[in-house]
């Protein structure tokens, strides 16, 4: 019986692959754009882009320039764009032409529900209108008293692993950053504690949020097939398909989706009940602010429960995943550049000592908690954060679909397949574009980070 299911699943997968491959874009126009050879019959070049691909993408940019032809699933031709002018054209100037891909929207909708990263058009506009005021500077400022104790607890946890005799010991900080950020987002955004900083604590919702992206990468080659499956199959047959396909990670992702949906609904019910009973608390989280705003808006602008639960999963996953990556990368950079670490430590120490003296704080300087405005005014800390995010963005690739034939200008001239220098690329309708931030770090791979003294801007040499 098991072997029959595997055979049936393999047959269905073959049919799905044929369905996708039969809809590929004709290669005639993009054949003029240079790029690497296809490296795998199924994943093209994507398997290298979705690994720790910084060096790989920097080499592509060095070899072919800021607009490159790459191969996607089953050899579909795509454009990999890092040229600054081309990026501006896609993301800002012609954003009415370059839309979020259906693959991206439908995949996120299945994973997280109808949240901000799963919707487009009027529904997306309505959600943005509701959420923008929630994430205002005033509300962000109010979150610092919630976040500071979590940072203190996180530090105590890390220090518990340090050798008491002062000897050298290697500590993997990435899991610690993951625990800290999911607790930050849980308390500040949702108003709940996962107890995540304690390594002994486990929670199925927390585990699902932390693992879904990593498990999903094991089956990323299925993403181009998701729109077809959503359009063509009912939920019943989609579930049957997941059961039949010989892909255990696919079933893992489904169970994680069930877990996230179940817990987000529970959180929404509990938040509403607390608001109705006046138990929102003195320190309000962003979810409470959003529910209050949603309740007071007009009927046609109000978000549905399905949309609200979608926002819960989106904010928790988005905030946790990107913050963990950014914090881990900052610590990695500072560990490699001792002079930058010493300078940052000196800046923070000086400001803490000054604040302690001004406020009459008589405890150790480590226990001084700086106000929001003081933290935001630290120039070197600001430079470290901005430069790290520039060179190593937590989300360094996004996709867009060109909805009609367009011309994509470039800042730096390209050499096409015939050896001719060109200043623009013709993009046919239906072309998928992979947008990369690694072009901003061109020429920086493996070289030292230098942050300019006394200035908000910084330079990577």
């Amino acid at each position: 019986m098991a072997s029959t299911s595997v055979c049936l699943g393999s047959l269905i997968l073959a049919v799905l692959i044929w369905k996708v491959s039969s809809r590929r874009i004709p290669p005639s126009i993009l054949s003029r754009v240079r790029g690497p050879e296809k490296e795998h019959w199924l994943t093209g070049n994507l398997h290298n882009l979705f690994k720790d691909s910084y060096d790989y993408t920097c080499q592509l940019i060095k070899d072919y320039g800021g607009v490159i032809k790459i191969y996607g699933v089953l050899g579909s031709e795509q454009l990999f764009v890092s040229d600054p002018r081309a990026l501006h054209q896609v993301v800002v100037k012609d954003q009415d032409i370059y839309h979020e891909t259906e693959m991206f929207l439908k995949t996120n909708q299945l994973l997280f529900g109808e949240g901000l990263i799963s919707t487009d058009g009027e529904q997306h506009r309505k959600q943005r209108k509701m959420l923008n005021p929630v994430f205002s500077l005033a509300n962000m400022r109010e979150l610092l008293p919630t976040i500071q104790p979590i940072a203190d607890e996180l530090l105590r946890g890390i220090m518990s692993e340090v050798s008491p005799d002062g000897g050298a010991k290697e500590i993997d900080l990435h899991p610690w950053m993951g625990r800290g950020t999911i607790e930050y987002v849980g308390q500040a955004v949702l108003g709940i504690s996962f107890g995540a900083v304690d390594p002994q604590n486990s929670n199925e919702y927390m585990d699902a949020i932390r693992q879904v992206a990593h498990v999903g990468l094991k089956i990323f080659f299925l993403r181009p097939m998701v729109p077809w499956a959503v359009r063509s199959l009912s939920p019943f047959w989609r579930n049957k398909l997941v059961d039949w396909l010989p892909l255990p990670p696919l079933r893992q992702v489904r169970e994680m989706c069930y877990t996230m949906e179940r817990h987000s609904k529970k959180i929404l019910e509990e938040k509403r009940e607390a608001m109705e009973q006046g138990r929102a608390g003195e320190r309000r989280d962003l979810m409470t602010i959003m529910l209050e705003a949603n309740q007071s808006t007009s009927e046609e602008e109000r978000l549905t429960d399905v949309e609200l639960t979608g926002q819960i999963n989106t904010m928790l996953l988005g905030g946790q995943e990107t913050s963990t990556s950014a914090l881990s990368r900052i610590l990695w950079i500072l560990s490699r550049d001792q002079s930058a670490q010493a300078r940052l430590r000196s800046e923070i120490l000086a400001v803490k000592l000054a604040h302690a003296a001004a406020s009459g704080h008589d405890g150790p300087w480590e226990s001084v908690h700086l106000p929001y405005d003081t933290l935001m005014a630290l120039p070197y800390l600001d430079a470290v954060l901005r430069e790290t995010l520039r060179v190593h963005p937590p989300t360094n690739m996004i996709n867009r679909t060109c909805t009609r034939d367009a011309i994509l200008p470039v800042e730096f001239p390209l050499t096409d397949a015939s050896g001719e220098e060109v200043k623009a690329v013709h993009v046919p309708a239906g072309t998928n574009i992979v947008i990369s931030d690694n072009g901003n770090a061109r020429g920086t791979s493996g070289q030292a980070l230098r942050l300019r003294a006394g200035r908000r801007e910084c330079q990577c040499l």
Side-chain angles (χ1 to χ4, degrees):
M1 182 65 181
S3 61
T4 302
S5 295
V6 170
C7 290
L8 178 60
S10 300
L11 177 61
I12 293 171
L13 184 59
V15 172
L16 287 176
I17 289 175
W18 176 80
K19 280 279 188 182
V20 174
S21 64
S22 65
R23 296 166 62 104
R24 286 186 295 175
I25 300 169
S28 55
I29 297 177
L30 294 184
S31 62
R32 297 192 60 187
V33 183
R34 294 193 310 140
E37 295 294 325
K38 181 168 56 178
E39 294 159 323
H40 191 276
W41 70 271
L42 176 60
T43 59
N45 307 109
L46 296 184
H47 60 289
N48 282 322
L49 289 176
F50 282 91
K51 291 180 180 178
D52 189 6
S53 60
Y54 180 77
D55 291 336
Y56 177 78
T57 54
C58 282
Q59 189 62 46
L60 287 183
I61 294 166
K62 180 180 178 181
D63 292 343
Y64 303 106
V67 178
I68 306 166
K69 182 180 70 177
I70 60 171
Y71 294 94
V73 172
L74 295 168
S76 61
E77 293 185 344
Q78 306 181 14
L79 290 180
F80 183 79
V81 177
S82 62
D83 181 272
R85 188 177 178 191
L87 291 178
H88 183 267
Q89 193 83 10
V90 171
V91 179
V92 180
K93 189 173 181 179
D94 283 344
Q95 56 182 286
D96 59 322
I97 298 176
Y98 300 95
H99 293 182
E100 288 281 10
T101 65
E102 189 182 18
M103 173 188 71
F104 176 83
L105 295 173
K106 294 300 183 185
T107 302
N108 288 338
Q109 193 174 89
L110 291 176
L111 290 174
F112 316 121
E114 295 183 22
L116 194 62
I117 61 173
S118 312
T119 55
D120 60 355
E122 182 60 25
Q123 186 181 20
H124 183 79
R125 182 206 65 79
K126 183 181 71 171
Q127 293 186 10
R128 285 293 297 267
K129 183 179 179 181
M130 175 65 66
L131 290 171
N132 281 343
V134 173
F135 287 88
S136 67
L137 178 60
N139 288 337
M140 294 295 101
R141 187 190 304 271
E142 294 299 318
L143 295 181
L144 185 58
T146 299
I147 291 175
Q148 185 66 65
I150 302 172
D152 294 339
E153 185 182 357
L154 182 64
L155 177 60
R156 287 193 294 271
I158 295 172
M159 293 304 295
S160 69
E161 289 200 33
V162 174
S163 298
D165 59 0
K169 181 182 179 181
E170 183 176 306
I171 301 174
D172 186 355
L173 291 179
H174 188 73
W176 282 107
M177 295 302 103
R179 296 185 194 113
T181 53
I182 202 167
E183 189 67 16
Y184 294 148
V185 179
Q187 291 196 32
V189 177
L190 304 180
I192 60 174
S193 173
F194 293 109
V197 178
D198 184 351
Q200 304 303 317
N201 284 344
S202 181
N203 174 291
E204 65 170 355
Y205 186 34
M206 176 179 69
D207 293 341
I209 289 291
R210 291 178 63 183
Q211 295 173 19
V212 65
H214 304 285
V215 177
L217 280 176
K218 297 177 181 179
I219 48 171
F220 79 94
F221 61 89
L222 290 178
R223 290 184 67 190
M225 306 170 198
V226 169
W228 174 87
V230 172
R231 285 193 304 266
S232 307
L233 304 175
S234 67
F236 173 83
W237 286 111
R238 291 204 299 266
N239 271 300
K240 284 294 184 184
L241 191 61
V242 172
D243 291 334
W244 290 334
L245 290 176
L247 299 168
L250 189 58
R251 288 181 281 282
Q252 281 183 268
V253 169
R254 180 179 60 183
E255 293 307 310
M256 291 174 182
C257 291
Y258 289 156
T259 297
M260 291 188 291
E261 181 182 23
R262 185 170 62 252
H263 282 269
S264 60
K265 286 181 177 179
K266 182 181 178 183
I267 290 170
L268 179 60
E269 291 169 2
E270 291 175 348
K271 298 298 292 184
R272 278 200 173 127
E273 184 180 345
M275 289 173 59
E276 291 169 359
Q277 298 178 2
R279 295 187 286 106
E282 179 182 348
R283 190 176 295 164
R284 297 194 307 162
D285 54 84
L286 297 185
M287 189 66 191
T288 299
I289 296 172
M290 183 175 70
L291 289 177
E292 290 174 349
N294 194 54
Q295 201 169 25
S296 62
T297 195
S298 63
E299 187 81 30
E300 58 271 16
E301 292 290 325
R302 195 169 297 166
L303 304 189
T304 66
D305 283 4
V306 173
E307 290 176 296
L308 289 170
T309 54
Q311 308 308 334
I312 292 174
N313 290 327
T314 298
M315 290 188 290
L316 190 56
L317 178 76
Q320 186 270 335
E321 192 73 24
T322 54
S323 298
T324 298
S325 175
L327 289 170
S328 298
R329 184 67 73 175
I330 288 170
L331 294 175
W332 176 77
I333 287 174
L334 291 174
S335 70
R336 291 163 60 90
D337 192 328
Q338 295 294 311
S339 61
Q341 181 183 155
R343 181 175 173 184
L344 179 60
R345 190 186 303 276
S346 296
E347 178 182 75
I348 295 173
L349 174 60
V351 174
K352 281 200 168 191
L353 291 175
H355 183 73
S359 61
H361 182 86
D362 56 0
W365 73 268
E366 292 91 345
S367 64
V368 175
H369 292 166
L370 297 176
Y372 180 89
D373 289 334
T374 304
L375 273 173
M376 295 299 103
L378 295 175
Y380 198 66
L381 175 61
D382 184 76
V384 168
L385 294 174
R386 289 176 183 272
E387 180 69 351
T388 303
L389 292 174
R390 183 186 75 83
V391 180
H392 301 285
T395 302
N396 66 336
M397 284 186 288
I398 58 177
N399 289 65
R400 291 291 185 269
T401 295
C402 185
T403 58
R404 62 177 186 265
D405 287 0
I407 299 297
L408 192 61
V410 294
E411 182 74 20
F412 303 103
L414 304 167
T415 303
D416 69 10
S418 66
E420 179 183 351
E421 186 177 276
V422 296
K423 297 183 179 179
V425 174
H426 183 192
V427 184
T431 301
N432 183 64
I433 294 177
V434 181
I435 298 172
S436 171
D437 270 346
N438 281 347
N440 292 325
R442 190 182 311 196
T444 66
S445 178
Q447 299 185 36
L449 182 71
R450 186 179 76 186
L451 303 169
R452 288 189 199 159
R455 299 185 64 179
R456 290 278 176 154
E457 60 191 85
C458 39
Q459 181 180 20
C460 195
L461 297 178

